[in-house]
């Protein structure tokens, strides 16, 4: 068996499974081997029908019969029904909305059924009494079902015996509709049994494996898919996590080395020069801000392109750092030129934010003899306007492109529109990316690869991420953390609210609104859930919540709605109205999370808080941390379970977003950290990010390997692996 062979050439695969495999991104036998179990279940959850009780989630093996596609008696919902039998009893199965399942399985087939046991309330109108009574009134509702060829040993026999045999580890794989964990397990075992693992060569150098006591590739694959004991699986996962972090580090460190070979601009401006500018602010900089500015100025002087990440909590004042370092650039002449200035590009993820920065930068720099421009999807602007030197004017795109290219525009602010090929600079010396996590790697690259000389790059983010994750995914960047908030801010009062106290909170909000303040109300959804989706999660939607609030709660106030499906112009108008106070309450999805600044908004209500990560909740509440008024954050949840309360407690007491990110990583599971996909890191590696030592070891090894052998010429396997990872990456984007 060749591991690179497409999977359908190795096994007979039905159409729905093909689709599912595609969704899981499994193309080859090797991909399948790298589809790791999400967890290890206990075989003990396998049960006999006679022993079932309501509410349990179980696996049952049995013979299926009376398969029927039908419609529910009164609601006419299409459904499939069947009866499942084993030696101990019978139970009814119902698949609402999935009548076809009844046609996919032959009568009297041996099947594995996995699902939750429900109990039906007996109704006199039930016509189908006899089958429903099959096993008292228990039934499986929409369980997973799969044909099997045999019942695993242990079920109904020794499994429930005294010897405890049953507790061997049984891998549970991430599934996709059309493919079950069991299918994945069996096919992976077939690949392993074929001996194909012997053809694998371990890309990790043996001395590294030895040093960290990691299992070899082959052993690890066997361990992860069929562990004999818990330690096997742990060791294997550790190895794969290490491998992945090592590869990410190698990539990032390589990029870093390449980047540092590029030519850049030497900008010789010292702290005194910047002080002339910063004294214009109505506040003095925090130590953290000063420190960040000094670090950047130092990078500017070195002639090597800077690549720096500025991580700072919401409201920590990143814009002021960006502006004062931009000041150093736009007050510098291009080399051998006694006119004009070096240029700055400032990219923001949304039009609202880009426009807001454009306005702020006009304020900051209006005393300088320079032009500032804005480019977004909906048009271009320039300051100063010829007709009205105190303000900006709309200009055509072609004018903007011309003036950017000939160097007349010193600061160009914009959205993604900024990275189009047609946007060319004369002396782009400084590229700033705001809320950089909103951009893909390629977009960041497109911004800096504008000219022969590399601009200095400053990436900014308020997304607090755990240190281990930062060291990994930002391994190519230098890190500056703004770990200090400007003084004088009253800490925000965060209060979890029990459903019964909803009205009391609305009254408190009303009081704030009457005092002239404004409020955000954040909902987890845009629209009402699709009523046809029977099991769709019920969560408050922005649109319906706005309507309800206007009708029932706050008829005397103006309410606006904001969500990602609005057109950019509508978003901008709504934001503008909110900023100007035309709107009192902004009901929004989490799109406002990013950087928006409305100092008069002092209250935020967050609905369905369990749907957000803590770090994200923290960012949301940062929206009302913008002024000296006391700010309030009321958190509504759909449940008040112990876990939810613990999380909310953390939200109340945490000193900053980083602490909360660490909490998310520990308690909510790595996969929940705003989705591991966002970081391009697998679930296994995310798990490992809880282990700082391991991350540091992988980083150190990557550095050492590249220092000893810059091109990795002695490690062809590593290089090959890196190349294939790269291809995957390009493929995803
Ligand atoms: P973020 O880091 O979230 O981008 P901003 O740059 O938007 O934060 O700053 C938030 C607010 O804090 C702004 O209104 C800004 O003027 C103000 N600010 C920034 N630095 C200071 C400081 N050192 N002292 C007081 N206020 C400051
Ligand atoms: Mg900001």
């Amino acid at each position: 068996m060749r591991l690179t062979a497409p999977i359908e050439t190795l096994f007979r695969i039905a159409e729905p499974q093909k689709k599912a495999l595609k969704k899981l991104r499994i193309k080859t036998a090797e991909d399948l081997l790298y589809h790791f179990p999400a967890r290890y279940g206990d075989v003990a959850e396998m049960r006999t029908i006679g022993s079932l009780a309501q509410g349990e989630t179980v696996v049952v093996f049995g013979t299926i019969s009376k398969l029927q596609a039908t419609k529910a008696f009164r609601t006419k919902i299409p459904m499939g029904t069947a009866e499942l039998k084993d030696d101990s009893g019978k139970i009814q199965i119902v698949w609402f909305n999935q009548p076809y399942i009844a046609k996919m399985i032959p009568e009297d087939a041996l099947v594995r059924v996995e699902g939750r046991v429900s109990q039906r309330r007996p109704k006199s109108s039930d016509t189908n009494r006899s089958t429903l009574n099959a096993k008292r009134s228990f039934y499986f509702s929409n369980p997973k079902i799969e044909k099997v060829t045999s019942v695993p040993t242990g079920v109904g026999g020794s499994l429930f015996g005294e010897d405890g045999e049953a507790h061997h580890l049984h891998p549970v794989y991430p599934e996709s509709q059309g493919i079950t964990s069991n299918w994945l397990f069996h096919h992976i075992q077939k690949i392993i049994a074929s001996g194909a693992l012997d053809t694998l060569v371990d890309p990790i150098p043996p001395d590294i494996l030895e040093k960290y006591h990691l299992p070899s590739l082959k052993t690890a694959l066997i361990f992860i898919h069929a562990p004999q004991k818990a330690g096997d699986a742990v060791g294997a996962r550790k190895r794969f996590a290490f491998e992945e972090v090592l590869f990410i580090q190698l990539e990032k460190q390589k990029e870093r080395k390449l980047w540092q070979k590029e030519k850049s601009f030497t900008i010789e401006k010292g702290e005194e020069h910047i002080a002339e500018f910063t004294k214009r602010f109505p506040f003095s900089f925090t130590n953290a801000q000063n420190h960040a500015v000094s670090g950047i100025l130092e990078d500017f002087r070195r002639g090597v392109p800077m690549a720096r990440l500025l991580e700072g909590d919401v409201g920590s004042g990143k814009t002021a750092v960006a502006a004062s370092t931009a000041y150093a650039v736009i007050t510098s002449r291009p080399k051998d030129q006694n006119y004009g200035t070096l240029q700055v590009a400032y990219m923001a993820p949304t039009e609202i934010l880009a426009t807001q920065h454009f306005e702020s930068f006009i304020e900051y720099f209006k005393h300088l003899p320079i032009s500032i421009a804005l480019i977004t999807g909906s048009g271009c602007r320039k300051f100063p306007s010829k007709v009205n030197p105190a303000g900006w004017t709309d200009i055509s795109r072609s004018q903007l492109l011309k003036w950017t290219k000939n160097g007349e525009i010193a600061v160009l602010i914009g959205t993604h529109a900024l990275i189009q090929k047609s946007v060319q600079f004369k002396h782009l010396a400084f590229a700033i990316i705001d809320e950089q996590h909103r951009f893909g790697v390629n977009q960041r690259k497109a911004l800096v690869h504008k000219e022969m000389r590399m601009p200095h790059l400053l990436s900014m983010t308020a997304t607090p991420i755990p240190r281990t994750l930062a060291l990994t995914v930002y391994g190519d960047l230098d890190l500056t953390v703004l770990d200090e908030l400007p003084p004088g801010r009253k800490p925000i009062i965060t209060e979890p609210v029990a459903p019964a106290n909803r009205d009391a909170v609305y009254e408190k909000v009303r009081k704030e609104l009457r005092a002239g303040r404004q409020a955000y109300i954040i909902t987890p959804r845009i629209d009402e859930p699709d009523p046809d989706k029977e099991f769709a999660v019920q969560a408050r939607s922005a649109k319906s919540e706005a309507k309800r609030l206007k009708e029932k709660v706050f008829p005397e106030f103006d309410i606006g709605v904001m969500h990602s499906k609005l057109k950019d112009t509508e978003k901008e108008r709504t934001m503008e109205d909110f900023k100007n106070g035309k709107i009192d309450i902004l009901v929004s999805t989490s799109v406002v999370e990013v950087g928006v600044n409305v100092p008069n908004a002092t209250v935020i209500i967050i609905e369905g808080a369990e749907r957000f990560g803590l770090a994200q909740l923290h960012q949301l509440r940062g929206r009302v941390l913008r002024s000296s008024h006391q700010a309030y954050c009321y958190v509504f949840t759909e449940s008040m379970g112990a876990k939810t309360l613990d999380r909310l407690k953390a939200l109340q007491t945490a000193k900053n977003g980083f602490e909360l990110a660490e909490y998310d990583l520990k308690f909510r599971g790595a996969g929940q950290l705003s989705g591991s996909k966002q970081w391009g890191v697998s679930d296994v590696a995310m798990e490992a990010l809880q282990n700082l030592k391991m991350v540091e070891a992988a980083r150190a090894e990557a550095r050492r390997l590249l220092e000893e052998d810059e091109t990795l010429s002695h490690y062809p396997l590593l290089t090959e692996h890196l190349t294939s990872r790269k291809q995957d990456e390009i493929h995803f984007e």
Side-chain angles (χ1 to χ4, degrees):
M1 187 182 286
R2 256 188 336 117
L3 286 174
T4 47
I7 193 118
E8 63 267 22
T9 64
L10 303 175
F11 305 113
R12 251 217 333 244
I13 297 175
E15 211 39 55
Q17 286 166 341
K18 265 190 202 154
K19 266 198 203 142
L21 287 169
K22 200 170 161 202
K23 224 170 168 180
L24 294 167
R25 296 218 185 95
I26 297 172
K27 279 185 253 155
T28 63
E30 188 168 10
D31 295 340
L32 195 53
L33 279 176
Y34 274 85
H35 190 68
F36 298 151
R39 60 191 169 85
Y40 299 87
D42 239 327
V43 183
E45 56 180 20
M46 275 193 225
R47 296 281 291 275
T48 54
I49 293 172
S51 71
L52 299 181
Q54 193 201 348
E56 294 179 318
T57 299
V58 295
V59 174
V60 175
F61 285 84
T63 318
I64 196 152
S65 60
K66 299 189 185 157
L67 286 144
Q68 225 181 335
T70 151
K71 282 199 164 75
F73 175 63
R74 226 168 316 144
T75 57
K76 299 281 178 264
I77 297 175
M79 57 190 238
T81 59
E83 186 179 286
L84 182 71
K85 200 163 34 172
D86 72 2
D87 292 344
S88 67
K90 301 184 214 170
I91 183 168
Q92 170 89 359
I93 303 180
V94 184
W95 292 280
F96 294 104
N97 286 319
Q98 301 175 320
Y100 51 88
I101 291 187
K103 295 192 188 130
M104 282 167 52
I105 296 162
E107 280 282 313
D108 297 320
L110 191 56
V111 292
R112 173 186 185 278
V113 171
E114 180 177 348
R116 193 163 175 269
V117 182
S118 306
Q119 189 162 22
R120 189 179 292 257
R121 260 174 288 140
K123 270 188 226 136
S124 52
S125 61
D126 270 333
T127 49
N128 228 355
R129 209 158 244 276
S130 58
T131 38
L132 287 174
N133 284 342
K135 161 66 194 164
R136 276 171 307 218
S137 53
F138 288 156
Y139 67 103
F140 279 114
S141 151
N142 291 47
K144 286 183 205 149
I145 183 160
E146 183 179 10
K147 242 183 89 191
V148 293
T149 46
S150 65
V151 176
T153 49
V155 174
S158 63
L159 178 62
F160 303 105
E162 320 253 272
D163 52 6
E165 275 277 298
H167 292 270
H168 80 251
L169 294 158
H170 146 81
V172 180
Y173 291 91
E175 302 179 342
S176 178
Q177 198 178 7
I179 212 153
T180 60
S181 175
N182 226 27
W183 188 97
L184 292 162
F185 175 74
H186 285 298
H187 286 79
I188 290 168
Q189 290 307 318
K190 275 185 198 161
I191 298 173
I192 294 178
S194 78
L197 298 192
D198 292 329
T199 63
L200 281 174
V201 197
D202 199 330
I204 302 187
D207 57 317
I208 294 184
L209 289 180
E210 210 169 299
K211 187 164 164 192
Y212 299 102
H213 310 290
L214 298 169
S216 73
L217 179 56
K218 182 182 168 186
T219 310
L221 281 170
I222 294 172
F223 276 5
I224 205 160
H225 291 297
Q228 293 299 310
K229 50 187 193 307
D232 292 353
V234 173
R237 290 182 97 82
K238 202 166 122 195
R239 183 226 135 94
F240 287 114
F242 182 90
E243 175 180 313
E244 187 168 339
V245 177
L246 178 72
F247 284 131
I248 296 175
Q249 289 291 349
L250 281 170
E251 254 163 52
K252 300 287 173 185
Q253 304 286 337
K254 260 182 120 167
E255 267 170 42
R256 187 184 165 84
K257 280 192 178 259
L258 281 178
W259 175 259
Q260 291 188 329
K261 284 199 178 132
E262 299 281 348
K263 278 209 176 70
S264 191
F265 297 81
T266 307
I267 300 163
E268 306 266 4
K269 296 286 185 214
E271 274 77 356
E272 344 58 67
H273 177 71
I274 303 302
E276 281 168 32
F277 171 71
T278 53
K279 71 173 187 235
R280 298 177 55 85
F281 283 100
F283 47 76
S284 48
F285 275 33
T286 62
N287 287 333
Q289 281 171 318
N290 280 327
H291 181 252
V293 170
S294 299
I296 294 166
L297 293 179
E298 203 169 295
D299 289 349
F300 280 175
R301 287 191 282 265
R302 291 194 307 152
V304 179
M306 168 176 86
R308 190 168 282 281
L309 180 71
L310 182 62
E311 252 192 311
D313 228 330
V314 260
S316 57
K318 292 183 291 297
T319 319
V321 173
S324 34
T325 47
Y327 176 79
V329 176
I330 56 175
T331 49
S332 296
R333 296 252 185 256
K335 203 163 179 268
D336 305 324
Q337 200 174 298
N338 59 3
Y339 60 92
T341 71
L342 294 178
Q343 292 172 292
V344 177
Y346 195 148
M347 181 161 74
T350 65
E351 208 159 316
I352 299 173
L353 210 51
T355 310
Q356 196 171 287
H357 286 320
F358 176 63
E359 285 162 7
S360 311
F361 272 56
I362 292 175
E363 279 308 304
Y364 301 151
F365 298 138
K366 62 184 177 201
H367 64 297
L368 298 176
I370 60 153
S371 297
I372 304 170
L374 174 72
I375 179 168
T376 69
S378 35
C380 302
R381 296 176 187 176
K382 177 180 160 288
F383 169 90
S385 147
K386 281 210 179 86
V387 222
N388 167 23
W392 55 263
T393 181
D394 287 312
I395 59 171
S396 73
R397 204 183 127 79
S398 57
Q399 272 176 321
L400 178 130
L401 295 181
K402 193 178 111 200
W403 289 332
T404 306
K405 195 170 177 189
N406 72 15
E408 266 183 69
I409 286 169
V411 183
L412 180 59
I413 297 168
T415 54
H416 304 81
L418 203 55
I419 55 181
Q420 291 155 350
K421 275 227 168 62
S422 51
V423 181
Q424 292 171 355
F425 292 81
K426 187 146 192 222
H427 299 292
L428 178 60
F430 191 22
I432 304 169
I433 301 180
D434 197 13
E435 308 290 350
Q436 67 106 30
H437 58 282
R438 289 286 174 124
F439 295 99
V441 177
N442 290 343
Q443 292 171 315
R444 274 170 245 162
K445 285 194 179 142
L447 181 64
V448 292
H449 287 271
K450 289 259 174 210
E451 283 183 83
M452 296 303 290
R453 255 174 219 272
M454 284 293 155
H456 297 288
L457 172 69
L458 181 66
S459 258
M460 307 199 292
T461 180
T463 305
I465 64 172
R467 202 170 116 73
T468 47
L469 182 58
L471 285 177
T472 306
V473 294
Y474 302 133
D476 52 337
L477 304 175
D478 293 311
L479 202 62
T480 302
V481 180
L482 288 184
D483 52 3
E484 191 181 356
L485 284 184
R489 299 248 171 92
K490 295 200 184 108
I492 185 165
I493 297 177
T494 300
E495 247 182 64
V497 187
N501 296 337
R502 181 173 280 275
D503 290 338
V505 167
Y506 286 147
E507 280 320 305
K508 289 187 200 168
V509 173
R510 193 186 313 281
K511 226 176 95 196
E512 284 290 303
L513 293 171
R514 287 221 176 109
R517 305 282 87 76
Q518 288 163 285
Y520 291 100
I521 296 181
I522 308 296
T523 66
R525 308 178 47 94
I526 298 175
D527 288 305
E528 280 303 280
D530 186 347
D532 291 340
K533 285 196 188 134
E534 194 177 352
F535 305 105
V537 276
Q538 301 291 323
R540 281 173 196 263
S541 80
K543 284 183 190 167
S544 65
E545 186 63 2
K547 190 158 165 261
R548 187 184 75 84
L549 290 168
K550 181 73 196 169
E551 283 167 6
K552 307 241 163 76
V553 187
F554 298 115
E556 74 272 40
F557 292 111
D558 288 311
I559 299 182
V561 185
M562 175 75 133
H563 55 75
S564 58
K565 283 195 187 151
L566 291 178
K567 287 203 200 85
D568 283 346
T569 48
E570 292 172 305
K571 278 188 212 160
E572 194 173 339
R573 184 161 7 97
T574 307
M575 244 14 255
E576 206 51 39
D577 287 350
F578 191 53
K579 249 173 123 173
N580 298 336
K582 270 195 214 151
I583 291 173
D584 303 298
I585 302 173
L586 186 63
V587 182
S588 173
T589 58
S590 57
V591 290
V592 287
E593 177 196 337
V594 174
V596 172
N597 192 4
V598 180
N600 190 46
T602 55
V603 191
I604 186 165
I605 289 180
I606 302 173
E607 298 278 356
E610 53 271 87
R611 287 166 201 282
F612 299 103
L614 283 177
Q616 199 186 2
L617 288 174
H618 175 72
Q619 278 197 285
L620 283 167
R621 93 180 148 176
R623 295 304 109 229
V624 294
L625 251 186
R626 301 264 156 177
S627 75
S628 50
H629 294 292
Q630 176 62 56
Y632 302 89
C633 171
Y634 298 107
V635 185
F636 290 157
T637 56
E638 284 148 37
S639 81
M640 277 286 184
K643 216 171 145 193
T644 306
L645 288 176
D646 269 357
R647 294 183 67 228
L648 297 181
K649 187 99 213 139
L651 189 64
Q652 281 178 295
T653 53
K655 280 189 292 299
N656 54 47
F658 298 96
E659 220 173 85
L660 290 170
E662 301 284 349
Y663 189 100
D664 270 343
L665 179 63
K666 263 211 197 80
F667 294 103
R668 231 184 155 215
Q672 307 273 343
L673 207 79
S674 329
S676 47
K677 256 201 217 113
Q678 180 184 342
W679 306 107
V681 174
S682 78
D683 291 345
V684 169
M686 285 300 273
E687 248 169 63
L689 293 177
Q690 301 191 18
N691 183 347
L692 179 63
K693 273 215 187 93
M694 199 219 68
V695 173
E696 278 172 347
R699 192 174 154 93
E701 292 302 335
R703 282 219 169 127
R704 183 180 62 85
L705 287 171
L706 285 169
E707 237 143 64
E708 287 171 9
D709 181 359
E710 188 170 339
T711 55
L712 294 178
S713 56
H714 292 98
Y715 302 98
L717 281 168
L718 282 178
T719 313
E720 194 182 303
H721 233 77
L722 283 175
T723 324
S724 70
R725 276 181 58 92
K726 264 254 139 56
Q727 277 160 357
D728 276 352
E729 212 174 282
I730 290 162
H731 185 77
F732 292 155
E733 274 185 292

mmCIF file of all heavy atoms in Angstrom, residues 485-493 624-632:
data_model
loop_
_atom_site.group_PDB
_atom_site.id
_atom_site.type_symbol
_atom_site.label_atom_id
_atom_site.label_comp_id
_atom_site.label_asym_id
_atom_site.label_seq_id
_atom_site.Cartn_x
_atom_site.Cartn_y
_atom_site.Cartn_z
ATOM 1 N N LEU A 485 -2.591 49.898 30.996
ATOM 2 C CA LEU A 485 -3.642 50.767 30.469
ATOM 3 C C LEU A 485 -3.367 52.196 30.915
ATOM 4 O O LEU A 485 -2.783 52.415 31.968
ATOM 5 C CB LEU A 485 -5.005 50.331 30.993
ATOM 6 C CG LEU A 485 -5.635 49.081 30.371
ATOM 7 C CD1 LEU A 485 -7.022 48.866 30.949
ATOM 8 C CD2 LEU A 485 -5.710 49.182 28.855
ATOM 9 N N PRO A 486 -3.791 53.175 30.111
ATOM 10 C CA PRO A 486 -3.629 54.566 30.549
ATOM 11 C C PRO A 486 -4.273 54.756 31.916
ATOM 12 O O PRO A 486 -5.278 54.123 32.212
ATOM 13 C CB PRO A 486 -4.382 55.359 29.485
ATOM 14 C CG PRO A 486 -4.341 54.507 28.276
ATOM 15 C CD PRO A 486 -4.361 53.096 28.764
ATOM 16 N N PRO A 487 -3.688 55.620 32.729
ATOM 17 C CA PRO A 487 -4.200 55.783 34.091
ATOM 18 C C PRO A 487 -5.550 56.493 34.086
ATOM 19 O O PRO A 487 -5.952 57.079 33.089
ATOM 20 C CB PRO A 487 -3.137 56.661 34.746
ATOM 21 C CG PRO A 487 -2.504 57.408 33.614
ATOM 22 C CD PRO A 487 -2.563 56.506 32.435
ATOM 23 N N GLY A 488 -6.227 56.400 35.207
ATOM 24 C CA GLY A 488 -7.441 57.175 35.376
ATOM 25 C C GLY A 488 -8.680 56.501 34.830
ATOM 26 O O GLY A 488 -9.778 57.025 34.938
ATOM 27 N N ARG A 489 -8.489 55.358 34.221
ATOM 28 C CA ARG A 489 -9.677 54.660 33.734
ATOM 29 C C ARG A 489 -10.320 53.950 34.908
ATOM 30 O O ARG A 489 -9.655 53.224 35.636
ATOM 31 C CB ARG A 489 -9.287 53.621 32.678
ATOM 32 C CG ARG A 489 -8.620 54.217 31.482
ATOM 33 C CD ARG A 489 -9.499 54.105 30.244
ATOM 34 N NE ARG A 489 -8.911 54.874 29.152
ATOM 35 C CZ ARG A 489 -8.078 54.368 28.273
ATOM 36 N NH1 ARG A 489 -7.791 53.094 28.315
ATOM 37 N NH2 ARG A 489 -7.561 55.119 27.340
ATOM 38 N N LYS A 490 -11.613 54.141 35.074
ATOM 39 C CA LYS A 490 -12.298 53.378 36.109
ATOM 40 C C LYS A 490 -12.433 51.958 35.605
ATOM 41 O O LYS A 490 -12.817 51.760 34.452
ATOM 42 C CB LYS A 490 -13.688 53.961 36.341
ATOM 43 C CG LYS A 490 -13.657 55.368 36.906
ATOM 44 C CD LYS A 490 -14.992 55.705 37.556
ATOM 45 C CE LYS A 490 -14.988 57.144 38.019
ATOM 46 N NZ LYS A 490 -15.821 58.022 37.206
ATOM 47 N N PRO A 491 -12.122 50.980 36.441
ATOM 48 C CA PRO A 491 -12.274 49.617 35.938
ATOM 49 C C PRO A 491 -13.738 49.360 35.594
ATOM 50 O O PRO A 491 -14.644 49.874 36.263
ATOM 51 C CB PRO A 491 -11.821 48.735 37.100
ATOM 52 C CG PRO A 491 -11.557 49.626 38.245
ATOM 53 C CD PRO A 491 -11.632 51.039 37.805
ATOM 54 N N ILE A 492 -13.956 48.620 34.568
ATOM 55 C CA ILE A 492 -15.314 48.345 34.130
ATOM 56 C C ILE A 492 -15.996 47.420 35.141
ATOM 57 O O ILE A 492 -15.370 46.536 35.707
ATOM 58 C CB ILE A 492 -15.268 47.712 32.730
ATOM 59 C CG1 ILE A 492 -16.664 47.522 32.171
ATOM 60 C CG2 ILE A 492 -14.545 46.384 32.741
ATOM 61 C CD1 ILE A 492 -16.647 47.259 30.678
ATOM 62 N N ILE A 493 -17.263 47.677 35.388
ATOM 63 C CA ILE A 493 -18.013 46.799 36.286
ATOM 64 C C ILE A 493 -18.679 45.715 35.447
ATOM 65 O O ILE A 493 -19.498 46.013 34.582
ATOM 66 C CB ILE A 493 -19.075 47.592 37.075
ATOM 67 C CG1 ILE A 493 -18.363 48.618 37.963
ATOM 68 C CG2 ILE A 493 -19.962 46.660 37.885
ATOM 69 C CD1 ILE A 493 -19.291 49.518 38.744
ATOM 70 N N VAL A 624 -16.518 49.738 25.678
ATOM 71 C CA VAL A 624 -17.035 50.781 26.566
ATOM 72 C C VAL A 624 -15.973 51.219 27.575
ATOM 73 O O VAL A 624 -16.275 51.771 28.607
ATOM 74 C CB VAL A 624 -18.320 50.337 27.299
ATOM 75 C CG1 VAL A 624 -19.441 50.140 26.297
ATOM 76 C CG2 VAL A 624 -18.104 49.057 28.079
ATOM 77 N N LEU A 625 -14.732 50.967 27.215
ATOM 78 C CA LEU A 625 -13.646 51.359 28.127
ATOM 79 C C LEU A 625 -12.950 52.599 27.610
ATOM 80 O O LEU A 625 -11.762 52.735 27.735
ATOM 81 C CB LEU A 625 -12.623 50.234 28.183
ATOM 82 C CG LEU A 625 -12.571 49.438 29.473
ATOM 83 C CD1 LEU A 625 -11.426 48.458 29.427
ATOM 84 C CD2 LEU A 625 -12.420 50.368 30.669
ATOM 85 N N ARG A 626 -13.705 53.467 26.997
ATOM 86 C CA ARG A 626 -13.069 54.516 26.214
ATOM 87 C C ARG A 626 -13.136 55.891 26.847
ATOM 88 O O ARG A 626 -12.820 56.866 26.225
ATOM 89 C CB ARG A 626 -13.737 54.566 24.845
ATOM 90 C CG ARG A 626 -13.633 53.271 24.099
ATOM 91 C CD ARG A 626 -12.472 53.336 23.179
ATOM 92 N NE ARG A 626 -11.993 52.000 22.868
ATOM 93 C CZ ARG A 626 -11.013 51.764 22.041
ATOM 94 N NH1 ARG A 626 -10.426 52.756 21.432
ATOM 95 N NH2 ARG A 626 -10.609 50.551 21.828
ATOM 96 N N SER A 627 -13.651 55.977 28.022
ATOM 97 C CA SER A 627 -13.789 57.324 28.571
ATOM 98 C C SER A 627 -13.601 57.285 30.076
ATOM 99 O O SER A 627 -13.317 56.254 30.654
ATOM 100 C CB SER A 627 -15.171 57.855 28.248
ATOM 101 O OG SER A 627 -16.122 57.232 29.089
ATOM 102 N N SER A 628 -13.817 58.438 30.686
ATOM 103 C CA SER A 628 -13.638 58.492 32.129
ATOM 104 C C SER A 628 -14.949 58.209 32.863
ATOM 105 O O SER A 628 -14.994 58.179 34.073
ATOM 106 C CB SER A 628 -13.099 59.857 32.516
ATOM 107 O OG SER A 628 -13.907 60.842 31.910
ATOM 108 N N HIS A 629 -16.050 58.025 32.103
ATOM 109 C CA HIS A 629 -17.304 57.636 32.768
ATOM 110 C C HIS A 629 -17.190 56.198 33.259
ATOM 111 O O HIS A 629 -16.487 55.390 32.675
ATOM 112 C CB HIS A 629 -18.478 57.694 31.780
ATOM 113 C CG HIS A 629 -18.785 59.067 31.298
ATOM 114 N ND1 HIS A 629 -19.285 60.041 32.112
ATOM 115 C CD2 HIS A 629 -18.654 59.635 30.074
ATOM 116 C CE1 HIS A 629 -19.455 61.152 31.412
ATOM 117 N NE2 HIS A 629 -19.070 60.931 30.171
ATOM 118 N N GLN A 630 -17.935 55.897 34.328
ATOM 119 C CA GLN A 630 -17.969 54.519 34.784
ATOM 120 C C GLN A 630 -18.628 53.658 33.695
ATOM 121 O O GLN A 630 -19.667 54.005 33.158
ATOM 122 C CB GLN A 630 -18.781 54.400 36.081
ATOM 123 C CG GLN A 630 -18.937 52.978 36.578
ATOM 124 C CD GLN A 630 -17.588 52.338 36.913
ATOM 125 O OE1 GLN A 630 -16.816 52.859 37.704
ATOM 126 N NE2 GLN A 630 -17.295 51.206 36.278
ATOM 127 N N ALA A 631 -17.971 52.533 33.358
ATOM 128 C CA ALA A 631 -18.519 51.649 32.327
ATOM 129 C C ALA A 631 -19.075 50.373 32.950
ATOM 130 O O ALA A 631 -18.592 49.915 33.979
ATOM 131 C CB ALA A 631 -17.426 51.310 31.318
ATOM 132 N N TYR A 632 -20.118 49.843 32.310
ATOM 133 C CA TYR A 632 -20.772 48.636 32.809
ATOM 134 C C TYR A 632 -20.863 47.590 31.713
ATOM 135 O O TYR A 632 -21.140 47.921 30.557
ATOM 136 C CB TYR A 632 -22.194 48.945 33.276
ATOM 137 C CG TYR A 632 -22.269 49.996 34.342
ATOM 138 C CD1 TYR A 632 -22.381 51.349 33.998
ATOM 139 C CD2 TYR A 632 -22.222 49.642 35.683
ATOM 140 C CE1 TYR A 632 -22.440 52.325 34.974
ATOM 141 C CE2 TYR A 632 -22.288 50.615 36.676
ATOM 142 C CZ TYR A 632 -22.389 51.960 36.309
ATOM 143 O OH TYR A 632 -22.447 52.920 37.277
#
